[in-house]
Amino acid sequence: MSAYVPHPEDHFTFGLWTVGNIGRDPFGDPVRAPIAPARIVQQLAKLGAYGVNLHDNDLVPRDATPAERDRIVRDFKQVLADTGMKVPMATTNLFGDPVFRDGAFTSNDARVRAYALKRTMSAIDLGVELGAATYVFWGGREGTDTSAAKDPRDGIKWYRDAINYLCDYVRAQQYDLRFAIEPKPNEPRGDIFLPTIGHALAFVYTLDHPEMVGLNPELAHDTMAGLEFSHGVGQALDAGKLFHIDLNAQKPGRFDQDLRFGSEDVKGAFFLVKLLEDARWTGMRHFDSHAYRTEDEQGVWDFAAGSMRTYLILEDKVARFNADAEIQGLLNDLRSRGGADSPERFSAEGAQTLKDRAFDLDAMRATGYAYEKLDQLTMEILLGVR
Ligand code: GLT
Ligand code: MN
Ligand code: MN
């Protein structure tokens, strides 16, 4: 049995901004010193991660000269080469600079919208130079604080114009890069455009190149909206649009906590891991979360190690669930219930047969589904007694 030790093949990644989180919050100052990107890469490599992801300015300060930028990137590539770590995903910080206070691609100021494109093209160049295959768009500032400010149809149109523009840029540069939109309902804006997986999926199919654009759903964001994350992820998988995933934990009805994966709602985390593993999804398991504000640097590495270890423990629980004779017996009963005669495709003849068919409704109404038993057996696996 696995000792729950992570390896690069597990595809675990962290953002420079996650491990590097200095514990600032709206009410309090930073509690930890910044950790240099090189040190983050070295430590995560030791812990068994596959790679790191970054915003443009996580690595290159906003005011760096071109020469400084080149030196920073060269040194960073050397650390990647030395450790074998990868940069599978990159993104742009389109939320920190006050210029983006009304959004980036959806600001009412056309100069801001143009500047956001310029920034993103440079950041895409950087990501591709570091080897990224996925480029994330988290529209934290895209939205409104008052609906008086914007007609949502304008917001969505500007958003579409920007993604279309950037798809054309990637094509013109002949980059091998896919885009992943990350939905979030609110925070930091009062209301964010493309608030859920469903909104983002529908938006993708209105783009000029829908094949280039998928999703980067985040557990905390769906939980904030009171949604069952694994259902949204399942829908993205079904559509072939799960390009990336942000794993963390979250209590419902709160600000975006970005807690260590599995540290809240263990059952929800289990069914998410089950979904990804049963689907043999090959993407990056990215932890978009950070250590509690109470922690020092050792706590940060405990957080990182714990995130991966919990995923591997849940993976082992999934294997137990899938091999459990009693659980599989219950599931087989459910799957074979009613025989194989449920019509999948319409035909005129089949519809007539169905119209003529007699159902034993009393028997159907009276039969339970044994989900109490199924759930209890699941809980016993999770609680370690099965
Ligand atoms: C920010 C946000 C995350 C996004 C990151 C990518 S930045 O930390 O809270 O959900 O994934 O831009
Ligand atoms: Mn979050
Ligand atoms: Mn995220």
Side-chain angles (χ1 to χ4, degrees):
M1 199 188 72
S2 126
Y4 315 125
V5 177
H7 295 101
E9 308 83 72
D10 296 314
H11 283 174
F12 293 133
T13 61
F14 293 83
L16 287 182
W17 71 94
T18 63
V19 179
N21 183 290
I22 54 179
R24 182 190 288 120
D25 73 15
F27 303 96
D29 297 337
V31 295
R32 291 186 286 269
I35 311 175
R39 179 168 166 78
I40 292 178
V41 171
Q42 286 155 351
Q43 288 295 114
L44 289 176
K46 278 190 212 152
L47 293 176
Y50 175 85
V52 291
N53 304 315
L54 46 84
H55 297 90
D56 45 355
N57 69 338
D58 294 339
L59 182 65
V60 182
R62 212 153 58 204
D63 50 7
T65 65
E68 283 164 351
R69 178 228 185 251
D70 290 347
R71 182 187 53 74
I72 291 169
V73 173
R74 197 181 54 237
D75 291 352
F76 190 67
K77 281 177 160 171
Q78 188 59 53
V79 182
L80 294 173
D82 292 345
T83 55
M85 291 276 279
K86 304 278 188 276
V87 177
M89 178 273 259
T91 183
T92 331
N93 185 324
L94 295 175
F95 42 88
D97 188 329
V99 76
F100 297 127
R101 66 171 74 177
D102 186 40
F105 302 140
T106 64
S107 169
N108 266 319
D109 187 330
R111 292 169 304 178
V112 174
R113 300 200 298 273
Y115 174 63
L117 288 176
K118 171 189 154 110
R119 273 271 316 252
T120 306
M121 285 189 288
S122 310
I124 286 176
D125 294 342
L126 173 66
V128 169
E129 185 176 349
L130 294 171
T134 306
Y135 201 85
V136 162
F137 291 88
W138 173 64
R141 299 279 175 200
E142 313 292 5
T144 59
D145 306 303
T146 164
S147 294
K150 278 172 213 172
D151 184 325
R153 291 172 299 176
D154 289 333
I156 291 298
K157 179 192 175 300
W158 289 330
Y159 219 146
R160 180 185 305 113
D161 288 347
I163 302 290
N164 282 340
Y165 188 101
L166 294 165
C167 280
D168 281 339
Y169 176 69
V170 165
R171 289 161 60 85
Q173 297 290 113
Q174 299 189 323
Y175 289 155
D176 191 7
L177 189 69
R178 300 196 300 179
F179 289 170
I181 295 174
E182 179 177 343
K184 187 174 185 183
N186 60 276
E187 195 201 351
R189 295 313 290 276
D191 292 288
I192 297 178
F193 295 135
L194 307 181
T196 69
I197 292 172
H199 290 80
L201 261 183
F203 173 76
V204 164
Y205 297 108
T206 71
L207 297 168
D208 289 346
H209 294 287
E211 73 285 356
M212 291 176 68
V213 185
L215 264 68
N216 177 40
E218 174 174 316
L219 191 158
H221 299 173
D222 269 43
T223 306
M224 288 167 71
L227 301 173
E228 167 53 38
F229 187 54
S230 67
H231 289 193
V233 173
Q235 195 171 344
L237 275 168
D238 176 72
K241 289 297 184 192
L242 189 69
F243 285 9
H244 199 262
I245 195 164
D246 280 4
L247 300 173
N248 49 23
Q250 171 79 26
K251 289 192 181 185
R254 306 208 174 178
F255 63 95
D256 188 20
Q257 294 176 296
D258 293 335
L259 299 167
R260 188 180 76 260
F261 179 64
S263 63
E264 300 290 337
D265 186 14
V266 176
K267 190 160 74 171
F270 166 77
F271 282 113
L272 177 64
V273 172
K274 182 171 185 305
L275 179 69
L276 297 176
E277 299 303 320
D278 285 352
R280 303 200 193 296
W281 186 68
T282 54
M284 295 296 141
R285 276 78 172 155
H286 170 72
F287 297 106
D288 190 13
S289 41
H290 49 74
Y292 301 132
R293 189 165 180 270
T294 49
E295 301 309 286
D296 56 18
E297 191 180 318
Q298 181 53 46
V300 171
W301 306 125
D302 292 343
F303 145 83
S307 303
M308 297 186 281
R309 184 171 165 84
T310 296
Y311 190 101
L312 294 175
I313 293 170
L314 290 175
E315 216 181 298
D316 180 55
K317 300 287 185 192
V318 169
R320 286 168 192 267
F321 180 100
N322 288 343
D324 189 296
E326 201 174 354
I327 288 178
Q328 294 309 313
L330 289 170
L331 290 173
N332 285 338
D333 285 351
L334 288 165
R335 286 183 205 114
S336 58
R337 184 177 288 210
D341 61 352
S342 165
E344 276 188 11
R345 304 288 298 187
F346 173 85
S347 71
E349 197 192 359
Q352 191 54 53
T353 309
L354 185 54
K355 281 179 161 180
D356 294 339
R357 180 169 160 189
F359 287 90
D360 185 353
L361 290 178
D362 285 340
M364 289 156 68
R365 287 180 186 125
T367 314
Y369 284 77
Y371 293 161
E372 284 292 352
K373 190 164 192 183
L374 184 58
D375 188 76
Q376 179 64 23
L377 293 173
T378 306
M379 290 308 298
E380 294 193 9
I381 287 181
L382 291 177
L383 293 171
V385 297
R386 196 172 172 85

